[in-house]
Coordinates of all heavy atoms in Angstrom, one line a residue:
A5 N 173.3 164.1 -124.2 CA 172.1 164.6 -123.5 C 172.5 165.0 -122.1 O 173.2 164.3 -121.4 CB 171.0 163.5 -123.5
V6 N 171.9 166.1 -121.7 CA 172.1 166.6 -120.3 C 170.9 166.2 -119.5 O 169.8 166.5 -119.8 CB 172.3 168.1 -120.3 CG1 172.5 168.6 -118.9 CG2 173.5 168.5 -121.1
V7 N 171.2 165.5 -118.4 CA 170.1 165.1 -117.5 C 169.8 166.2 -116.5 O 170.7 166.6 -115.7 CB 170.4 163.8 -116.8 CG1 169.3 163.4 -115.9 CG2 170.7 162.7 -117.8
A8 N 168.6 166.7 -116.6 CA 168.3 167.8 -115.6 C 168.1 167.2 -114.2 O 167.7 166.1 -114.0 CB 166.9 168.4 -116.1
P9 N 168.6 168.0 -113.2 CA 168.5 167.5 -111.9 C 167.0 167.4 -111.4 O 166.2 168.1 -111.8 CB 169.2 168.6 -111.1 CG 169.1 169.9 -111.9 CD 169.1 169.3 -113.3
V10 N 166.8 166.3 -110.7 CA 165.5 166.0 -110.2 C 165.3 166.6 -108.9 O 166.1 166.5 -108.0 CB 165.2 164.5 -110.2 CG1 163.9 164.2 -109.6 CG2 165.5 163.9 -111.5
A11 N 164.2 167.3 -108.7 CA 163.9 168.0 -107.4 C 163.7 166.9 -106.4 O 162.9 166.0 -106.5 CB 162.7 168.8 -107.5
F12 N 164.6 167.0 -105.3 CA 164.5 166.1 -104.2 C 163.4 166.6 -103.2 O 163.7 167.4 -102.4 CB 165.8 165.9 -103.5 CG 165.8 165.1 -102.3 CD1 165.5 163.8 -102.4 CD2 166.1 165.7 -101.1 CE1 165.5 163.0 -101.2 CE2 166.1 164.9 -99.9 CZ 165.8 163.6 -100.0
A13 N 162.2 166.2 -103.4 CA 161.1 166.7 -102.6 C 160.3 165.5 -102.1 O 159.2 165.3 -102.5 CB 160.3 167.7 -103.4
P14 N 160.9 164.7 -101.2 CA 160.1 163.6 -100.7 C 158.9 164.0 -99.8 O 158.9 165.2 -99.4 CB 161.1 162.8 -99.8 CG 162.1 163.9 -99.4 CD 162.2 164.8 -100.6
K15 N 158.1 163.1 -99.5 CA 156.9 163.5 -98.7 C 157.4 163.9 -97.3 O 158.2 163.2 -96.7 CB 156.0 162.2 -98.6 CG 154.7 162.5 -97.8 CD 153.9 161.2 -97.8 CE 152.6 161.5 -97.0 NZ 151.8 160.3 -97.0
P16 N 156.9 165.1 -96.8 CA 157.4 165.6 -95.6 C 157.1 164.6 -94.5 O 156.1 163.9 -94.4 CB 156.5 166.8 -95.3 CG 156.1 167.2 -96.7 CD 155.9 166.0 -97.5
L17 N 158.1 164.4 -93.6 CA 157.9 163.6 -92.4 C 157.0 164.2 -91.4 O 156.7 165.4 -91.4 CB 159.3 163.3 -91.8 CG 160.4 162.7 -92.6 CD1 161.7 162.7 -91.9 CD2 160.0 161.3 -93.0
K18 N 156.4 163.3 -90.6 CA 155.5 163.8 -89.6 C 156.1 164.8 -88.6 O 155.4 165.7 -88.2 CB 154.9 162.6 -88.8 CG 154.0 161.7 -89.7 CD 153.5 160.5 -88.8 CE 152.6 159.6 -89.7 NZ 152.1 158.5 -88.9
D19 N 157.4 164.6 -88.3 CA 158.0 165.5 -87.4 C 158.8 166.6 -88.0 O 159.6 167.2 -87.4 CB 158.9 164.7 -86.5 CG 160.0 164.0 -87.2 OD1 159.9 163.9 -88.5 OD2 161.0 163.5 -86.6
E20 N 158.6 166.8 -89.4 CA 159.4 167.8 -90.1 C 159.0 169.2 -89.5 O 160.0 170.0 -89.3 CB 159.1 167.8 -91.6 CG 159.9 168.7 -92.4 CD 159.7 168.6 -93.8 OE1 159.8 167.4 -94.3 OE2 159.6 169.6 -94.5
A21 N 157.8 169.5 -89.3 CA 157.4 170.8 -88.7 C 158.0 171.0 -87.4 O 158.5 172.1 -87.1 CB 155.9 170.9 -88.7
E22 N 158.0 170.0 -86.6 CA 158.6 170.1 -85.2 C 160.1 170.3 -85.3 O 160.7 171.2 -84.6 CB 158.3 168.8 -84.4 CG 158.8 168.9 -83.0 CD 158.5 167.6 -82.2 OE1 157.8 166.7 -82.8 OE2 159.0 167.5 -81.1
R23 N 160.8 169.6 -86.2 CA 162.2 169.9 -86.4 C 162.5 171.3 -86.9 O 163.4 171.9 -86.4 CB 162.8 168.9 -87.5 CG 162.9 167.5 -87.0 CD 163.5 166.6 -88.1 NE 163.7 165.2 -87.7 CZ 164.2 164.3 -88.5 NH1 164.7 164.7 -89.7 NH2 164.3 163.1 -88.1
R24 N 161.7 171.8 -87.8 CA 161.9 173.1 -88.3 C 161.7 174.1 -87.2 O 162.4 175.1 -87.0 CB 160.9 173.4 -89.5 CG 161.2 174.8 -90.1 CD 160.3 174.9 -91.3 NE 160.5 173.9 -92.3 CZ 161.5 173.9 -93.2 NH1 162.4 175.0 -93.2 NH2 161.7 173.0 -94.1
A25 N 160.7 173.9 -86.4 CA 160.4 174.8 -85.3 C 161.5 174.9 -84.3 O 161.9 175.9 -83.8 CB 159.1 174.4 -84.6
K26 N 162.1 173.7 -83.9 CA 163.2 173.6 -83.0 C 164.4 174.3 -83.6 O 165.2 175.0 -82.8 CB 163.5 172.2 -82.6 CG 162.4 171.6 -81.7 CD 162.7 170.1 -81.3 CE 161.7 169.5 -80.4 NZ 162.0 168.1 -80.0
M27 N 164.7 174.1 -84.9 CA 165.8 174.7 -85.5 C 165.7 176.2 -85.5 O 166.7 176.9 -85.2 CB 166.0 174.2 -86.9 CG 167.2 174.7 -87.6 SD 167.3 174.3 -89.4 CE 166.0 175.3 -90.0
E28 N 164.5 176.7 -85.8 CA 164.3 178.2 -85.8 C 164.4 178.7 -84.4 O 165.0 179.9 -84.2 CB 162.9 178.5 -86.4 CG 162.8 178.2 -87.9 CD 163.7 179.0 -88.7 OE1 164.1 180.1 -88.3 OE2 164.1 178.5 -89.8
Q29 N 164.0 178.0 -83.4 CA 164.1 178.5 -82.0 C 165.6 178.6 -81.6 O 166.0 179.6 -81.0 CB 163.4 177.5 -81.1 CG 163.4 177.9 -79.6 CD 162.7 176.9 -78.8 OE1 162.9 175.7 -78.9 NE2 162.0 177.3 -77.8
M30 N 166.4 177.6 -82.0 CA 167.8 177.6 -81.7 C 168.5 178.7 -82.5 O 169.4 179.4 -82.0 CB 168.4 176.3 -82.0 CG 168.1 175.2 -81.0 SD 168.4 175.6 -79.2 CE 170.1 176.0 -79.3
R31 N 168.1 178.9 -83.7 CA 168.7 180.0 -84.5 C 168.4 181.3 -83.9 O 169.3 182.2 -83.9 CB 168.1 179.9 -86.0 CG 168.6 181.0 -86.9 CD 168.1 180.8 -88.3 NE 168.6 179.7 -89.0 CZ 168.1 179.1 -90.1 NH1 167.0 179.7 -90.6 NH2 168.6 178.1 -90.6
R32 N 167.2 181.6 -83.4 CA 166.9 182.8 -82.8 C 167.7 183.0 -81.5 O 168.1 184.2 -81.2 CB 165.4 182.9 -82.4 CG 164.5 183.1 -83.7 CD 163.1 183.4 -83.2 NE 162.4 182.4 -82.5 CZ 161.7 181.4 -83.1 NH1 161.6 181.4 -84.4 NH2 161.1 180.5 -82.3
R33 N 167.9 182.0 -80.8 CA 168.7 182.1 -79.6 C 170.2 182.5 -79.9 O 170.8 183.3 -79.2 CB 168.7 180.8 -78.8 CG 167.4 180.5 -78.1 CD 167.4 179.1 -77.4 NE 166.1 178.8 -76.8 CZ 165.9 177.7 -76.1 NH1 166.8 176.8 -76.0 NH2 164.7 177.5 -75.6
A34 N 170.7 181.8 -80.9 CA 172.1 182.1 -81.3 C 172.2 183.5 -81.8 O 173.2 184.2 -81.5 CB 172.6 181.1 -82.4
T35 N 171.2 183.9 -82.6 CA 171.3 185.3 -83.2 C 171.1 186.3 -82.1 O 171.7 187.3 -82.0 CB 170.2 185.4 -84.3 OG1 170.4 184.4 -85.3 CG2 170.3 186.8 -84.9
G36 N 170.2 186.0 -81.2 CA 169.9 186.9 -80.0 C 171.2 187.1 -79.2 O 171.5 188.2 -78.7
L37 N 171.9 186.0 -78.9 CA 173.1 186.1 -78.2 C 174.1 186.9 -78.9 O 174.9 187.7 -78.2 CB 173.6 184.7 -77.9 CG 174.9 184.5 -77.0 CD1 174.5 185.1 -75.6 CD2 175.3 183.1 -76.9

Side-chain angles (χ1 to χ4, degrees):
V6 178
V7 179
V10 178
F12 174 65
K15 184 179 180 180
L17 300 173
K18 292 181 180 179
D19 61 344
E20 183 174 315
E22 184 180 355
R23 286 185 181 181
R24 186 176 298 280
K26 289 182 177 179
M27 184 186 71
E28 293 298 334
Q29 182 183 41
M30 288 305 303
R31 179 179 289 167
R32 288 192 295 269
R33 289 179 181 178
T35 302
L37 185 61

